[in-house]
Amino acid sequence: MIVIETKNVTKVYEGVVPVTAVDGVSIQIEEGEFTAIVGPSGSGKTTLLNLIGGLDHPTTGEVWIGGKNISHLSKNELIDFRLHHIGFVFQAYNLIPVLSAKENVEFIMLLQKRSKSERISRAKELLKMVGLETRMNNRPGELSGGQQQRVAVARALASKPQFVLADEPTANLDSNSTAQLLDMMHDLNKKEKMTFLFSTHDQRVIDRAERVIMLEDGKVVGSELNG
Amino acid sequence: MMYLKLAWRNIWRNRRRTLITAASVFFAVSLAVLMRSLQHGAYDNMIRNAAGMYLGYVQVHHNGYWNDKSLNNTFTPDEALLKTLDIDPRVSTVVPRLESFALASSGNQTKTALVIGADPSKEASFTQLNKRITQGTYFSAGEDAALLGDELAKNLKLKVGDTLVLLGQGYHGYTAAGKYVIKGLIHFGSPDLNREVVYLPLQTAQLFYTIGNRLTSITLNLFKPKEAEIVARSLSQKLDKKYWEVMDWKQMMPQLEQLIQLDSSGGLVIIGILYLVIAFGVFGTILMMLAERQHEMGILTAIGMKPYKMGWMIFTELVLMVLLGVLAGIIASIPLVTYFKYHPIRITGQAAEAYEHFGLEPIFPFSTNPDIFISQGIVVLIICVMLSFYAWYKILRIDAVESMRM
Ligand SMILES: Nc1ncnc2c1ncn2[C@@H]1O[C@H](COP(=O)(O)OP(=O)(O)OP(=O)(O)O)[C@@H](O)[C@H]1O
Ligand SMILES: [Mg+2]
């Protein structure tokens, strides 16, 4: 089943000199994929992920998520759509600093209006899954960068999304933490059948992806399967 | 609940800023409360002084008496009038009086005197005339006895037990003359009254003026002084305007009313300036909060939090911060205000003389009327709500992608 499909998507940033950040991209992501979008700085990775994640509207073309065209949804409709269908992990500072790891994971379920008992049990379960059962009551400031990213992954999964989008999730991590985070994501991909789409320009991360989509100047210049 | 917890924790992210903001609100509120409490306490005291000492909160006269205070404008209290006054539940005491001027003399001293015929027991319960006795004893109905202002007694070189001679013009031009034993000396805050006043029991005064049972005024004491205006209006509607005039203290003492209005608006201007300064401080806090939370709010929008919820969050934080200052301000000012209510500030010197000249005691008791505290708290919260519109405006147009760049 196709979870993500972009149909000839283009994003032009208007300005004194208009920039075509994403240029006629058509890709399909199947359920259960573990795919990396790679490319040099400025190639349009973030812009493409933002379009797929419903954070931005394409200039032309369409984005389909789970068989639904989201390109024409309003800003408010997109917020709800994101809440219920997409899990996000950003580069850094993903978490609410005054909430503990557990409360951060609970928070997104609170936005979804889930019951308190479900929130608590699922938050615990997920934090256990990402290997943080002993750090549940710590605030982000008391966690390492790698641990914070793992909490962010747990939060992304907590909302039971159709897929998880991660824009350079390892950019601020050392190689050890990078490896750990990827192991963990890969594990979740296998055990929970969670689809992951992430961007990176880190070769070690590229090597761990099952499929790699290459971007250059906003265009897809190649797509290959690893391993 | 989680949102409240979140807001509470958020305000302590920047402990110092929160404390500074709350402290500025604290100072503004406590200053404003102290000031208003002093003003209202002083006004209440002035009104109580002026009205409770003699004039009452509402008076009923024969129509035209106020502008021409002569014995020709007296009236016979008829059943209908007394009944109307008696059944009014807002009226606590009905005090009949007959007042006019006469000459008071002893030996070769003669002074002008304001002769007031008063009902001893009613006067005691309303103006507490009996408590004003400094020497001698209070009088009772029907006695040929007088109470004298202590200054008048001094000027006439009279003391308790001596005889006072009153000479004047009675009703319809009769000559009025009488001799009265001085039963007591009384003291008023007002030097004018001290210098002039002579109290006779009502019937004694009516005999002196040979005026039957006529009166110059009926003075009303009210359970709630604040109702004076309403009571006066409703009474004048019930009574025939041709024969009666009903006045409240504001009409009888327009200067006092104006003085209070003027002073009060001066105070409000100062408080306005105070709050304006505080508003700028709170606004600065809002700007900082929004700026440093930009990235976080971008992330929250991205993961699916609606901006209006963030608006509520920031608003809650703001209200908590300000409320902290408001409550602290109110709590801190309560003991001070209470202290000064029972230990009023007393002014001395020329200012004191000026007050005494107008018949006012030169003291400033503070008012502990809860309205003062509540209204200051509400004003500050309203300011806070208005300032928060800016935060709402900013947050409702937040863009996730742009904010996350910050
Ligand atoms: N808001 C914007 N306004 C104008 N131009 C933009 C904006 N955002 C991105 N761009 C431009 O679009 C192009 C693609 O940017 P994008 O951030 O998607 O690249 P990227 O592949 O994520 O780069 P990096 O690896 O550095 O994160 C760049 O040339 C960038 O300058
Ligand atoms: Mg990028």
Side-chain angles (χ1 to χ4, degrees), chain A residues 13 19 21 40-47 168 201, chain B residues 405:
Chain A
Y13 286 112
V19 179
S41 186
S43 58
K45 304 183 292 293
T46 297
T47 307
E168 306 212 35
H201 47 220
Chain B
R405 276 179 208 281

Side-chain angles (χ1 to χ4, degrees), chain A residues 85-209:
Chain A
H85 300 280
I86 308 175
F88 288 93
V89 178
F90 300 100
Q91 199 169 316
Y93 305 112
N94 270 288
L95 306 173
I96 302 175
V98 295
L99 296 184
S100 69
K102 188 165 69 101
E103 289 165 336
N104 261 288
V105 179
E106 270 185 60
F107 189 72
I108 194 150
M109 293 184 276
L110 180 73
L111 293 178
Q112 290 181 320
K113 301 194 167 71
R114 305 262 182 103
S115 75
K116 186 167 181 162
S117 56
E118 185 188 354
R119 283 182 343 232
I120 293 174
S121 66
R122 190 161 166 77
K124 283 185 180 161
E125 182 194 339
L126 284 164
L127 285 167
K128 209 165 158 187
M129 250 190 253
V130 299
L132 287 175
E133 62 259 64
T134 59
R135 315 296 316 243
M136 289 201 272
N137 295 317
N138 291 82
R139 293 194 185 181
E142 299 158 352
L143 300 174
S144 73
Q147 289 171 330
Q148 289 180 31
Q149 289 304 74
R150 282 192 260 162
V151 177
V153 172
R155 180 184 66 188
L157 290 179
S159 66
K160 298 191 173 160
Q162 298 187 19
F163 60 92
V164 173
L165 274 185
D167 189 12
E168 306 212 35
T170 60
N172 287 23
L173 303 183
D174 59 32
S175 51
N176 241 343
S177 310
T178 300
Q180 272 180 18
L181 187 70
L182 273 150
D183 282 346
M184 190 211 81
M185 281 165 54
H186 211 166
D187 239 38
L188 291 169
N189 169 249
K190 289 283 149 300
K191 284 190 194 140
E192 307 286 312
K193 307 259 174 307
M194 182 50 68
T195 312
F196 278 87
L197 179 61
F198 48 93
S199 72
T200 186
H201 47 220
D202 181 339
Q203 190 55 47
R204 290 163 304 184
V205 177
I206 298 171
D207 292 342
R208 301 294 306 269

